[in-house]
Structure formats: C-alpha cells, structure tokens
C-alpha cells in the first residue's frame, strides 16, 4: 500500500447508544418556550442536538462601560454561551463590605447578557483560582480559625453568606425565570489543586489546600446555593486531574492546554493527538464518561505570561485544539480565556497572583485586554460558524479512531493524524497537521473510506496536500438541501436559506485543490460557473473556482435550486454569518464586525473599509460616517466606506533608555473608536503609568505590547503616559548574605524601546435607508 494512502472501514461501526444519561432529567425551558436539555452524548437546544461554543469573559476584569460592545464581539465571533468568574476577593476585599458597582456590577453584566440573548454560566467559588490573589479567597479569611475548602462549619457559614450576596445580584436571572443564567459552577478544581497563598507573605511557593471532603463538600455547597435561591438548570464542575464530581445534576468539564507555565521545558503535548474521549478520557477522572457529554470548559484560548514562564501561543494552536477536541468527541467547546482583561486594583494591594502581571490578564486570547482582536478570533469563528450550521448533524456522530492514531507520539512528524466522526455512513474526516513546539511538514495524502453508503475517496483520484500547521474537516455522504454530497476536499463553513433558496458555503485551504463530488441521481442539472464538471460513473465531480465571485448552481432531482460557494481561506477568515435586516446573510469584510441596534458595525485600523454582503437584494444601504460606494460583485454586493484618515497626536521623549514619556491628544474625531499604543521593546517587564496610576503592565515574551486608550481618554490631558522598562539581564548574578543580601551582576542589561506608535481604530456602521 502507498504510505500516503489511508484506509478505514466504517461498515461495522456501531451507532452510539443515545440515552438520557446522568443529566437527562436536568435542563428546562424559559417563559418563551426555548429549552436546553441533555443526553449522555450531547446537549440539546429546543430538542435538537447542539454543540455550543462557550467563551470565558471575566466582567470584573474589564470596564463596564464597554461590556456591551465586547459581548457583541463575542457573539459575532460565534460564542453561544458566556462564562464568568465571580471572584470573592474582588467583591468582599474587606470583611462585611461587599462591592457590586462599576466594573464589579454583576447584575449589570447579567442584564446585558439577557439583552443580547447570551446564556450565561456563573462560576461563583468560593475558590475560583483564575490567577487572582489567593485564588479569590480574601486575605481576611485566613485570619479565621477555619479550614478553607472543607465542610468546616465556619467556612460553610462564610460560603453561605457569599452565596446569599450573589443570589441578591442574581434575583430573577435564572433561565427558567426568563433570565440568561443556565448553569453555575461551585468551587474550582476541587480535590485537584490549590493556588499560591499570597496572603502568607513570608515566602513564595506556599500553596493553599486542594480541599477535603470530596463530593460531600460539593454537595454541601450545592445545598447552600439552592437554599440561597441559586438553582440553575444544571451545575458544572471542573473534572480534570481526578477532581471531585457529584454524580447528579452536575456536568463534568475538562481542560486542554499545550503552552503551560507549570511544566518547565515543556515537551510537545498530547493535546493534538486524536482519541475517543467519550470512552477513554485523556486523563483519569472520577466519573463514568459514557454517562455525560464530553464537554470542555477550558480549552486554551491562549495563555497568560508569567514572570518565570513566557510562552507564546500561536493562533494555529487554538484552531487546531478546537478541531482535535471536536474530532475526539467533545460536544461542548469552551475557551479559557476567550476574552482577556485587566485586574482591578484592590484597596490594600494588587489582586494578581504572584509571578503574574499586576494588572494585565490579556491571556493572548482571541479578544484581549482593552478589546484587542487577535488572529485566533478569526480562526475559531470559522469553526463556530460550522457548528452553528451543522452541529445538529455532527453531535450524534461517534468518533472512529484508525488503528494506532491514539498512540502516535507527540514528536512524530511523519504519520498523518486523522480520524472520523460518522453515523450511518455519513460524517466528517478530521485531519490535523499541527503540533505544539514542533514544526510539522506539508503532507500528501489520500483517504479511502468504506461506508454503508458506498466507498468514498478523498480526493476522488490522486492525492491532496495539507500544509504544515493547519487542520481540516472534510465532509462525506451529506445531504445538502436535497443534493447528495459524496465527498469534498473543501471545508464546510456555513449554510443560509433566504426566499426558499439554500446556499452552502465551503472554503479551500491553501494548497488543497477543492473538489465536490455529487451523486448524479440527486441532480437534475449542475452549472459549475467558472469551474468544471465531469461525470464519472454514478457521480458528478465539480472542481469549482474558489472565491466569492464564483458560484456553483445545482438543481435537485425534484427541481429545487441550491447555490454552492467555495471561498478562499482568506475570505473564510473574513466571514461572518449574521441575522440582519430580517434575514440571515453572509458578510465578508476586511474589518471586524458585530451587529448592534440593527446596524452592521465595522471596526478597522484602516480608513477604508470593504464589506461584501450576500443577498442584499434591492436594499438601499447607507453609512453613518464617510462616503459610500457600492458595486455588484458576483452574488455579493460590495460596499466601500472611505473615512478621512486621522493621525493621532503623539510626542515621545526618553529621559533614559528605560523610560518614555508620551503626550497624547485626547481630541479624536467621531469616527475614531479608540487609539492604540503599539510598543515594540525589549526588556524584562514594562509598566504604563498615568500620573501615579498604573494603567497596565506587560511581561516581555518577544511580541509587541498593545494598550487601548479609550477608557483612559478623558485623563490624557492630565499628564504624560509614562512607560517604564525593567531591564532584562544577560550575564551572571551572584548573591550572598553579608548582614543583608548582596547581589553582584556581571553582564549587560537590556532595556530598549524600538518603536512607539499611536494607531487609530475607526468604527462605522451600515444600515438600511428607507425610501
């Protein structure tokens, strides 16, 4: 056999037993009749299989003035459910004094999630971790003669008080009462790990207890929560590392991290190797995995840089981990973090965990500190769009692992990594060519499947190439609006229906020639447009032209028309599926988009924005700023919005190589949403001050520092922004004690600003003009 040809028989693959499982009796509906529920294999939404995307966003780590915009960006990015921590020490830093205002206003955040139709999971502690001081336990708790994270009556009394305060903020917000809160997590990583005890103070490296009491303690916390009025549709528990998991009413959640500060000199991880997680979890767990859906609440959306470990998390890894977990059977995908932020400053101290930045919790996440949009935001949005359109098809499909795949060494760069999810001969092939800490080569391959619906080859003849660092999802034997798709070497992105016409959207990965194979018996005609079509046996093979200007038009055997678009990879990364102006549409733009008040909001660092909309019809659109030009662009209409370019006023003086003083004008035109400082420097740690206020900080890890200024804008005329670098030392440090500790250093100290720029971020809106 050619070593680039991979074969798998699926004809004897048993369908999974879909049954209620341990969560079958949990779930419920809201007053509008919308409902969530469970089987042992997947979550349901209004009775249909559902694979939700969950995005972690800590409200208290972001300015409340901008929560709504950031939540809208999350929703546009494909997030179905928001998760957030309620950090005890952020709200009761001083005993008996609870703070729920400003950036700590949990109720306002809940209400915004309700307004934007974003279900919410609250993670309410008492212990949270989340890289905050003492894992969220206030310092004053350690002065009590109690055992934390246990059934000690004194500790439970404090938990009861905390939960009752949270319940006041939550009143009326449970899903069954018409609110957004569908689930609550009690505790975190219980019986698995603790956090640094920063209240100890005498020595670094002291850790809090991982907890005692097992499931009994979690059930006691659940009893206290329910008595306080916190009774969601279901509870959740972080279940990795042998953590405790109550058997009833709790969804166990898993984690996957590849760039980890807690593993020195980390070798390539096993997070990018396929396995069947429903039957064989990635690590030992304290529950029967066959009774619950596989659910991830902490897939790495990035990683926070710490002083002692400074990993860089590439966007490729976030996309690849999503693909691998999905292929391995996960039917809930949760990103930690999806949206980073900034720690608040406490009354008595900073509230960060030791060795981490005092303020920044950017996390290199898809959306970062100050609302930074990262490259991974576009990558995982394509997969979220796929799940929104085809998740009900994928969710009941079990994972089939080809022989030897689960045992592939992480360091192996020569074996193709692939698996299948399928049911009744219909499904998806997953191929991953990414591995952390290793560069993967381009690979040629051909996959041949024996299915109950006939044999399938990807591609139909010859081989295709997958580039190093990417993954791909290839469908086979799917029904596309009455047309039978036998196979495709392009990835499904989404589907739309408007005025009775269905459109299916694929995209072609670089180096992977797109091919669509259809069963001829399901077609009455097919027009490949700028592509070609060839009939071979029972199939019609279409080799479409990729790009939004091209369309394949097919007519089913009973006369319905189906449109097929095959975008380029670049176009797919610029695509959004939105509900706008009473219809669903696909939008491709070189800006970032979200929908607000029936307007399409476009945000970009360029003063010219291009937006291409599918199916606008005769609608007359206008922009709220700038000039607007439109043209027909195949089946799209393309709008070009031109805004007067703005050059922010920035003057920089450098009292020393370690300091820079910035004068920044706070007068910005209306079309400028923010001004970003892009700071390219080399050093150890950098801090930004406005007067005596520490705005944010940055531990150097080889990539530029970005600071959004809009939340500080009104204070920019009060003084200079001071950037200070602590130098990195390259040399030898000798320490000894001579009455006091003495340090001798021989070498060079590096602290250098390479460039400091102010870059405007423009924001304009498109909306219909009624004539």
């Amino acid at each position: 056999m050619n070593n680039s040809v991979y074969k798998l028989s699926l004809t004897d693959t048993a369908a999974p037993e879909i049954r209620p499982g341990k969560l079958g009796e949990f779930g419920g509906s809201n007053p509008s009749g919308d409902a969530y529920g469970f089987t042992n294999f997947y979550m349901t939404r209004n009775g249909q299989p559902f694979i939700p995307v969950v995005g972690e966003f800590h409200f208290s780590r972001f300015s409340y003035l901008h929560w709504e915009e950031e939540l809208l960006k999350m929703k546009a990015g494909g997030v179905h459910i928001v998760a957030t921590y309620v950090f005890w020490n952020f709200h009761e830093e001083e005993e008996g004094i609870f703070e729920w205002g400003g950036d700590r206003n949990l109720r306002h955040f809940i209400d915004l999630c309700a307004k934007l139709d974003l279900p919410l999971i609250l993670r309410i502690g008492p212990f949270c971790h989340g890289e905050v001081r003492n894992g969220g336990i206030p310092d004053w708790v350690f002065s009590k003669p109690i055992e934390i994270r246990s059934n000690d009556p004194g500790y439970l009394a404090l938990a009861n008080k905390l939960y009752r305060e949270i319940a006041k903020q939550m009143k009326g917000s449970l899903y069954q009462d018409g609110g957004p809160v569908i689930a609550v997590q009690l505790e975190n990583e219980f019986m698995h790990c603790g956090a640094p005890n920063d209240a100890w103070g005498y020595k670094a490296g002291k850790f809090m207890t991982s907890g005692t009491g097992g499931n009994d303690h979690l059930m006691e916390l659940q009893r206290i929560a329910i008595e306080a009025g916190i009774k969601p549709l279901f509870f959740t528990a972080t279940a990795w590392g042998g953590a405790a998991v109550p058997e009833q009413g709790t969804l166990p959640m898993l984690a996957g991290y590849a760039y980890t500060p807690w593993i020195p000199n980390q070798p390539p991880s096993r997070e990018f190797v396929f396995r069947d997680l429903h039957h064989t979890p990635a690590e030992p767990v304290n529950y029967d995995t066959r009774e619950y859906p596989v659910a991830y609440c902490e897939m790495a959306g990035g990683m926070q840089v710490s002083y002692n470990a400074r990993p860089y998390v590439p966007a490729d890894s976030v996309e690849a981990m999503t693909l691998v977990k999905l292929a391995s059977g996960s039917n809930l995908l949760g990103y930690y973090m999806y949206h980073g932020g900034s720690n608040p400053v406490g009354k008595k101290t900073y509230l960060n965990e030791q060795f981490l930045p005092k303020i920044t919790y950017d996390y290199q996440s898809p959306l970062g500190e100050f609302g930074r949009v990262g490259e991974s935001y576009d990558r995982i949005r394509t997969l979220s769009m796929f799940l929104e359109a085809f998740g009900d098809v994928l969710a009941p499909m079990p994972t089939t692992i080809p022989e030897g795949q689960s045992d592939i060494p992480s360091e192996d760069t020569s074996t193709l990594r692939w698996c299948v999810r399928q049911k009744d001969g219909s499904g998806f092939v997953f191929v991953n060519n990414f591995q952390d800490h290793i560069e993967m080569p381009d690979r040629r391959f051909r996959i041949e499947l024996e299915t109950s619906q006939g044999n399938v080859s990807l591609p139909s003849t010859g081989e295709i190439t997958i580039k190093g660092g990417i993954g791909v999802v290839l469908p086979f034997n799917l029904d596309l609006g009455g047309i039978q798709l036998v196979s495709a070497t392009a990835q499904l992105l989404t589907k739309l229906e408007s005025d009775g016409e269905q459109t299916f959207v694929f995209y072609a990965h670089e180096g992977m020639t797109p091919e669509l194979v259809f069963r001829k018996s399901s077609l009455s005609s097919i027009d490949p447009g700028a592509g070609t079509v060839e009939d071979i046996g029972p199939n019609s093979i279409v080799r479409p032209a990729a790009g939004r200007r091209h369309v394949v038009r097919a007519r089913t055997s009973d006369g319905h028309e189906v449109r097929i678009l095959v975008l380029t990879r670049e176009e797919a990364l610029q695509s959004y599926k939105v509900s706008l102006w009473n219809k669903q549409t696909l939008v491709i733009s070189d800006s970032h988009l979200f929908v607000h008040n029936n307007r399409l909001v476009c945000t970009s660092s360029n003063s010219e924005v291009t937006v291409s909309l599918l199916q606008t019809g005769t609608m007359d659109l206008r922009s709220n700023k700038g000039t607007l030009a439109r043209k027909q662009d195949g089946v799209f209409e393309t709008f070009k919005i031109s805004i007067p370019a703005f050059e922010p006023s920035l003057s920089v003086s450098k009292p020393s190589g370690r300091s820079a003083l910035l004068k920044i004008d706070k007068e910005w035109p209306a079309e400028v949403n923010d001004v970003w400082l892009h700071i390219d420097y080399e050093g150890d740690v950098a801090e930004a001050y406005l007067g005596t206020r520490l705005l944010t900080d940055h531990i150097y890890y080889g990539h530029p520092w970005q600071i959004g200024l809009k939340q500080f804008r009104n204070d920019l005329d009060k003084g200079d922004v001071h950037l200070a670098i602590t130098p990195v030392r390259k040399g030898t440090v000798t320490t000894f004690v001579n009455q006091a500790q003495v340090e001798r250093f021989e070498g060079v100290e590096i602290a250098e600003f390479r460039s400091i720029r102010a870059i405007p971020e423009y924001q304009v809106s498109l909306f219909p003009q009624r004539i």
Side-chain angles (χ1 to χ4, degrees), residues 12-23:
D12 57 354
T13 303
E17 181 187 355
I18 306 296
R19 57 183 187 274
K22 294 291 187 181
L23 286 173

Side-chain angles (χ1 to χ4, degrees), residues 273-594:
V273 176
F274 294 114
R275 63 192 90 199
D276 183 354
L277 292 168
H278 199 252
H279 288 92
T280 308
E283 59 181 314
V285 294
N286 287 324
Y287 62 96
D288 185 348
T289 57
R290 295 165 297 182
E291 292 293 327
Y292 302 89
V294 180
Y296 274 77
C297 66
E298 291 196 17
M299 286 192 315
M303 178 52 65
Q304 182 57 45
V305 174
S306 68
Y307 190 80
N308 295 323
R310 308 184 183 201
Y312 165 64
V313 182
D316 286 346
S317 76
V318 182
E319 182 179 16
M321 184 174 291
T322 305
L323 184 146
V324 170
K325 299 307 180 191
L326 190 63
S328 299
S330 180
N331 278 338
L332 184 151
L333 302 174
Y335 294 99
Y336 189 101
M337 296 289 295
Y338 188 91
H339 200 312
S342 310
N343 290 319
V345 177
K347 294 177 181 178
K348 300 178 180 298
T349 184
Y350 291 106
L351 295 173
N352 62 299
E353 182 177 290
Q354 61 185 254
F355 306 127
L356 272 75
K358 295 173 183 152
I359 302 292
T360 185
Y361 197 67
D362 177 81
Y363 212 84
Q364 303 176 58
S365 49
L367 297 174
E369 191 180 24
F370 310 117
R372 172 194 56 76
V373 179
E375 186 182 350
S376 58
Y377 177 76
D378 297 326
R379 302 292 191 88
I380 60 179
R381 187 178 63 253
T382 62
L383 291 167
S384 297
M385 291 168 66
F386 165 68
L387 292 178
E388 181 64 34
F390 300 100
D392 61 332
V393 176
L394 178 64
M397 294 177 173
T399 298
T400 301
I401 303 292
E403 185 177 358
Q405 279 290 317
S406 295
D407 300 320
I408 291 175
S410 303
E411 298 81 4
D412 185 343
T413 62
S414 61
T415 305
L416 184 74
R417 303 181 186 196
W418 69 290
C419 76
V420 175
R421 284 186 69 170
Q422 69 92 34
K423 184 175 180 289
D424 300 328
S426 172
F428 301 88
V429 172
F430 295 81
V431 182
N432 171 45
N433 201 24
F434 175 88
Q435 174 64 53
D436 63 281
H437 300 90
I438 288 179
E439 186 173 340
M440 299 290 277
D442 297 353
R443 293 192 56 84
R444 298 279 293 171
F445 72 92
R446 171 185 172 83
I447 290 175
E448 298 178 353
L449 304 176
E450 183 182 342
T451 82
S452 59
Q453 298 185 37
N455 293 339
V456 173
S457 295
L458 298 125
S460 59
T461 59
E463 297 175 344
I464 51 176
T465 298
I466 185 169
K467 294 285 188 180
I470 70 167
V472 64
V473 185
L474 303 177
F476 63 93
N477 290 337
L478 286 188
D479 182 287
L480 300 184
I483 298 174
Q484 297 303 309
L485 175 73
V486 177
S487 64
T489 58
Q491 185 160 327
L492 268 171
L493 180 64
T494 189
K495 63 180 179 181
L496 304 100
E497 185 167 355
S498 180
D499 301 325
E501 184 176 57
Q502 289 184 293
T503 302
F504 293 88
V505 186
F506 295 77
Y507 70 93
H509 282 272
E510 181 186 356
M512 190 173 289
T513 303
E515 170 191 88
L516 309 173
V517 180
F518 298 103
R519 193 78 67 197
K520 279 196 301 187
S521 60
S522 67
L523 297 168
S524 61
S525 65
I526 189 161
D527 177 2
T532 65
V533 61
E534 179 183 9
D535 288 343
I536 298 180
N539 299 328
S540 292
I541 301 176
V542 177
R543 295 180 177 86
R548 66 174 179 263
R549 293 178 176 84
H550 307 295
V551 61
V552 175
R553 297 184 184 275
R555 192 168 293 276
T556 66
S557 55
D558 59 2
H560 294 291
E561 184 168 288
V562 175
R563 293 192 306 188
I564 298 169
L565 300 175
V566 180
L567 305 178
T568 65
R569 164 79 162 169
E570 181 182 12
E571 289 170 336
L573 293 173
Q574 296 179 343
S575 293
Y576 297 75
K577 180 183 174 182
V578 297
S579 295
L580 194 62
W581 311 319
N582 299 317
K583 65 172 64 178
Q584 284 188 337
T585 189
L586 183 71
V587 188
I588 302 174
S589 179
D590 55 9
S591 65
H592 283 107
L593 308 175
F594 61 87

Side-chain angles (χ1 to χ4, degrees), residues 235-249:
F235 290 91
T236 70
T238 48
W240 55 86
V245 179
E247 189 168 318
Q248 292 295 326

Side-chain angles (χ1 to χ4, degrees), residues 147-188:
E147 180 68 25
I148 65 168
R149 307 183 78 186
S150 78
N151 281 341
D152 182 311
Y155 179 71
L156 293 178
L158 294 178
N160 182 51
K161 182 180 177 184
L162 171 67
Y163 285 3
R164 291 186 180 277
E165 288 291 332
I166 293 172
K168 289 179 187 177
Q169 305 302 313
M170 290 176 57
K171 187 175 177 60
S173 69
L174 295 173
Y175 189 76
Q176 59 269 33
D177 298 328
V181 178
I182 61 170
V184 169
Q185 178 184 302
L186 308 173
E187 249 283 346
N188 188 53

